[in-house]
Amino acid sequence: MRSILPNSTIGVFGSGQLGRMFAIEARKMGYRVHTFSPDNDTPTGQVADFETSAEYEDLDAVKKFARSVDVVTFEFENVPSKTVEAAAEFVEVYPKGEILHTTQNRLREKTFLKKHNFPHTPFRHIKTLDDLYHAVQSLGTPAVLKTAGFGYDGKGQQRIKAVGEVENAFEKLKGNEAVLEAFVEFEKEVSVVCARDRKGNFAHYGVIENDHENHILDISFAPAVCSEKVFAEAVEIARSVAETLDYVGTLCVEFFLGADGKLLINELAPRPHNSGHLTFDACVTSQFEQQLRAVCGLPLGSTEFYKPCAMANLLGDIWETQEPNWANALQNPNVKLHLYGKSEARKGRKMGHLTAIGETIEEAVKTVKTARENLLR
Ligand code: AMP
């Protein structure tokens, strides 16, 4: 297993903000970056050395790309399995294609969690209307119906509040396979962003606390407010998931935390995650650099936090009336601005984020929220 050293080229499937921040870290360390996605002038492409714009199904283009890079990783988990397999004929791909296959589909992911006894939200597999009736009866209401594939930020999700809503909800699936989940009355949502290298070494950023608005991450801060027991359990679950998957790269395990201290895995993200963006400004090694080190066979870096930190997402909504007032948001010198280079600001679209460090979590959260409000002044 040779190490991939600086000046080598890292191939990245996907071209969004995660790839952009990965590319920034890779270029900082003297690597070249080649991004592959169907789009042009993308957040990743703008900072990469090379940008291929081709469909993921265009296997000739995929093979050409794979031949031109030294290792492949991804920032987008919905890359088709065939694409990853075609690339893997020529070059090593991390995390492995099988992991992508498992985590890009809620049913496969939940089946994996169940099989290995990881705590997870109770669920049922839905193929027919009858399945849905039975599942609602056994899990109770409210329940959450989610399409098995291509879901993120609450997309493809419906809340079912009563049996009377079953037929309508089933129709909206339009024939797509789905899972029904019990609705979890959680106290808070937390995540563990971690990394595992090719030798099996593991590093983590502790527990990060996440607040969502309309199913989209709004604010993250670290460290999360939770007991030492919950902290240790969450990290141990993440470590065990990474090991069971024989994971290489940065992984995020998202949890629901109940008032009784019980942790349930909501989702796995086989890549750097929005809740880990704050590691860019607050840690010795960011989640993106960690991904780079892991896939290149370099030692993982320190995950130490310089200070408590908070992150606020910037959605397209804030462009609705006028260009945000950037100077105003940056009045406080502890605030950092990240914009992803997306030209069109659509409602709900992640356009950038702000991070703030503070002496306490409360101070960091207050600073980042004030900065975001100041954008609109
Ligand atoms: P997901 O795309 O599955 O991560 O869901 C997005 C958000 O919807 C989560 O972060 C939760 O805030 C909420 N959510 C999803 N599933 C459930 C559930 N089973 N019970 C309660 N809230 C949920």
Side-chain angles (χ1 to χ4, degrees):
M1 245 189 323
R2 76 187 169 102
S3 295
I4 313 285
L5 298 174
N7 209 29
S8 308
T9 303
I10 319 288
V12 180
F13 279 128
S15 59
Q17 61 267 21
L18 300 173
R20 179 184 183 91
M21 289 181 267
F22 174 86
I24 289 169
E25 292 290 44
R27 295 198 64 169
K28 242 166 70 182
M29 282 176 63
Y31 287 89
R32 292 167 187 274
V33 178
H34 186 161
T35 172
F36 185 111
S37 82
D39 304 314
N40 255 316
D41 186 30
T42 58
T44 309
Q46 288 165 14
V47 293
D49 297 80
F50 313 101
E51 181 171 37
T52 293
S53 304
E55 296 301 323
Y56 290 119
E57 291 75 17
D58 180 349
L59 297 187
D60 289 335
V62 169
K63 287 175 188 171
K64 189 171 165 207
F65 162 75
R67 270 194 226 105
S68 74
V69 299
D70 296 290
V71 65
V72 165
T73 187
F74 41 83
E75 64 98 57
F76 168 69
E77 68 257 42
N78 286 319
V79 179
S81 299
K82 281 206 158 60
T83 309
V84 180
E85 279 163 25
E89 280 175 33
F90 300 95
V91 67
E92 285 186 275
V93 179
Y94 296 112
K96 288 182 303 199
E98 298 101 273
I99 296 177
L100 200 67
H101 184 69
T102 302
T103 53
Q104 68 188 196
N105 177 286
R106 289 186 200 275
L107 182 66
R108 288 197 288 268
E109 180 173 296
K110 284 177 183 297
T111 306
F112 161 81
L113 295 174
K114 189 173 171 188
K115 180 174 165 203
H116 295 279
N117 284 324
F118 290 115
H120 60 278
T121 317
F123 72 98
R124 297 286 184 278
H125 179 190
I126 309 298
K127 279 193 293 198
T128 65
L129 180 58
D130 244 20
D131 292 340
L132 188 55
Y133 270 116
H134 285 127
V136 168
Q137 262 155 13
S138 80
L139 294 177
T141 52
V144 189
L145 184 63
K146 303 180 178 180
T147 50
F150 286 92
Y152 65 96
D153 289 346
K155 290 189 173 70
Q157 279 189 32
Q158 309 179 57
R159 177 102 60 105
I160 298 182
K161 295 190 215 73
V163 180
E165 295 174 7
V166 163
E167 218 156 303
N168 190 23
F170 184 78
E171 244 156 58
K172 285 199 192 139
L173 289 176
K174 295 197 177 105
N176 287 307
E177 216 180 20
V179 290
L180 186 77
E181 278 181 22
F183 186 81
V184 181
E185 295 288 353
F186 54 81
E187 190 185 59
K188 55 177 73 171
E189 292 183 73
V190 298
S191 53
V192 173
V193 174
C194 57
R196 191 168 175 275
D197 70 15
R198 295 202 225 152
K199 293 183 184 145
N201 296 308
F202 177 76
H204 64 84
Y205 294 91
V207 182
I208 300 170
E209 189 162 330
N210 305 313
D211 288 336
H212 292 77
E213 281 282 330
N214 301 322
H215 300 280
I216 302 176
L217 184 64
D218 183 45
I219 301 276
S220 289
F221 59 88
V225 180
C226 67
S227 67
E228 276 177 32
K229 183 167 173 280
V230 166
F231 185 99
E233 263 176 37
V235 169
E236 178 50 29
I237 293 169
R239 193 197 57 73
S240 183
V241 168
E243 205 162 292
T244 307
L245 289 167
D246 192 20
Y247 199 89
V248 175
T250 293
L251 166 75
C252 177
V253 183
E254 294 179 65
F255 297 93
F256 296 134
L257 174 60
D260 55 359
K262 206 171 143 198
L263 286 160
L264 292 177
I265 297 179
N266 170 34
E267 230 179 0
L268 306 178
R271 50 170 170 75
H273 187 257
N274 197 166
S275 63
H277 287 2
L278 47 75
T279 62
F280 213 149
D281 297 312
C283 295
V284 175
T285 313
S286 74
Q287 61 167 351
F288 305 101
E289 181 179 332
Q290 211 71 296
Q291 168 97 351
L292 175 75
R293 286 170 175 246
V295 305
C296 289
L298 296 176
L300 297 176
S302 162
T303 54
E304 191 185 334
F305 279 76
Y306 296 120
K307 292 218 169 152
C309 184
M311 183 249 16
N313 268 336
L314 303 177
L315 302 184
D317 312 48
I318 60 170
W319 274 256
E320 218 157 36
T321 47
Q322 60 194 42
E323 180 72 14
N325 190 334
W326 305 118
N328 233 358
L330 296 175
Q331 289 284 354
N332 185 322
N334 286 326
V335 172
K336 308 275 275 186
L337 171 66
H338 297 253
L339 288 173
Y340 308 146
K342 298 181 183 177
S343 51
E344 198 194 339
R346 290 193 299 269
K347 219 171 153 43
R349 188 176 199 204
K350 289 175 181 169
M351 302 295 290
H353 67 268
L354 296 168
T355 38
I357 51 168
E359 293 309 317
T360 61
I361 307 156
E362 293 75 17
E363 185 191 330
V365 171
K366 189 165 170 240
T367 305
V368 88
K369 283 188 173 172
T370 305
R372 190 168 61 179
E373 283 158 21
N374 285 344
L375 282 175
L376 302 176
R377 296 236 164 89

